[in-house]
Amino acid sequence: MRTLFTLAAACALCAAAWAVDVVVERATAAPGAGVAPARDAPLELGWDNGTRRSGVAWFTGAGVWVGNDFDIATISTYRGVEKIRFYSRSDWPNSQWDGCRIGIYSFTSVPGSLLWGPRFVIGSGSGNTWCDFSVGWTLPAGPDAFLAAVEQYYNWPNCDAFTVDTNTNFLRHSWQYYGGNWSLLSPGVELYRNLMLRVVVDNETVAVSPSSLGRVKALY
């Protein structure tokens, strides 16, 4: 049985005003649930551990983004962003995919300006699942870091939730844009703050054997 947790009652206890505007769906995943399927894409970059903890949605979704930063300095030829992969759920908070927007932002020590997008996309699949959204864009020459992000876009409950994993160690690569400012992700789900969002990047100039491809957990 799933339970909805609204944080409105905790507003007076929360230093960040945004927390009053969030809903958390708490459901323990079955062992192994949420692990991304094997794939033959060039490189899949992500910070999550592959196992879902909770879905999270704001009451007001327009202009609210969540994203992960990535630094490809050690693989600087992999500048082609093929896909953004977003873990979500088809049947919570409502019973259908509603759509969201994806984008790529510049990144130094904090997210900066929008480089690509926003593009409206609609998820697919049933239940808890990875949604793959095509990007097909090359990171321009210059800084090697960027932020891949998703905007909730629609209001609760007619929206698609974002997801945090089961790792209680916050890796400090997940961010939120709320109230006109970027800050480290703090979704009000106890200690769980690592966003389940990944990117698939490719190398357009150097041939790499498929057997050598895989997922990169962390680049810095």
Side-chain angles (χ1 to χ4, degrees), residues 167-170 189-194:
N167 186 2
T168 57
N169 177 30
F170 182 41
V189 196
E190 299 163 351
L191 302 176
Y192 306 97
R193 301 172 64 185
N194 296 307

Side-chain angles (χ1 to χ4, degrees), residues 10-68:
C11 182
L13 301 177
C14 187
W18 71 269
V20 71
D21 194 25
V22 68
V23 179
V24 177
E25 176 265 343
R26 186 74 50 79
T28 303
V35 176
R39 53 186 300 122
D40 59 359
L43 279 179
E44 183 177 33
L45 311 182
W47 295 105
D48 64 272
N49 65 10
T51 302
R52 173 187 180 276
R53 167 64 185 184
S54 301
V56 184
W58 277 283
F59 285 119
T60 302
V64 179
W65 293 76
V66 292
N68 280 338

Side-chain angles (χ1 to χ4, degrees), residues 59-90:
F59 285 119
T60 302
V64 179
W65 293 76
V66 292
N68 280 338
D69 65 69
F70 302 98
D71 188 336
I72 59 170
T74 59
I75 51 168
S76 59
T77 58
Y78 283 76
R79 309 189 76 83
V81 182
E82 289 187 356
K83 298 178 181 180
I84 290 176
R85 309 195 70 220
F86 178 53
Y87 199 83
S88 189
R89 181 171 181 163
S90 65

Side-chain angles (χ1 to χ4, degrees), residues 6-164:
T6 63
L7 301 187
C11 182
L13 301 177
C14 187
W18 71 269
V20 71
D21 194 25
V22 68
V23 179
V24 177
E25 176 265 343
R26 186 74 50 79
T28 303
V35 176
R39 53 186 300 122
D40 59 359
L43 279 179
E44 183 177 33
L45 311 182
W47 295 105
D48 64 272
N49 65 10
T51 302
R52 173 187 180 276
R53 167 64 185 184
S54 301
V56 184
W58 277 283
F59 285 119
T60 302
V64 179
W65 293 76
V66 292
N68 280 338
D69 65 69
F70 302 98
D71 188 336
I72 59 170
T74 59
I75 51 168
S76 59
T77 58
Y78 283 76
R79 309 189 76 83
V81 182
E82 289 187 356
K83 298 178 181 180
I84 290 176
R85 309 195 70 220
F86 178 53
Y87 199 83
S88 189
R89 181 171 181 163
S90 65
D91 56 357
W92 190 88
N94 62 1
S95 59
Q96 66 181 27
W97 294 112
D98 297 285
C100 54
R101 298 202 299 180
I102 58 174
I104 296 176
Y105 287 81
S106 63
F107 186 85
T108 50
S109 58
V110 295
S113 59
L114 186 68
L115 298 176
W116 176 90
R119 175 181 291 174
F120 183 80
V121 293
I122 299 178
S124 62
S126 178
N128 299 313
T129 186
W130 286 102
C131 299
D132 286 12
F133 301 130
S134 296
V135 175
W137 176 80
T138 300
L139 188 69
D144 293 323
F146 64 94
L147 180 102
V150 172
E151 180 193 20
Q152 182 177 305
Y153 194 66
Y154 291 118
N155 296 339
W156 163 274
N158 301 309
C159 59
D160 300 330
F162 67 91
T163 306
V164 290

Side-chain angles (χ1 to χ4, degrees), residues 203-214:
N203 184 324
E204 297 181 342
T205 59
V206 179
V208 180
S209 169
S211 63
S212 69
L213 302 179

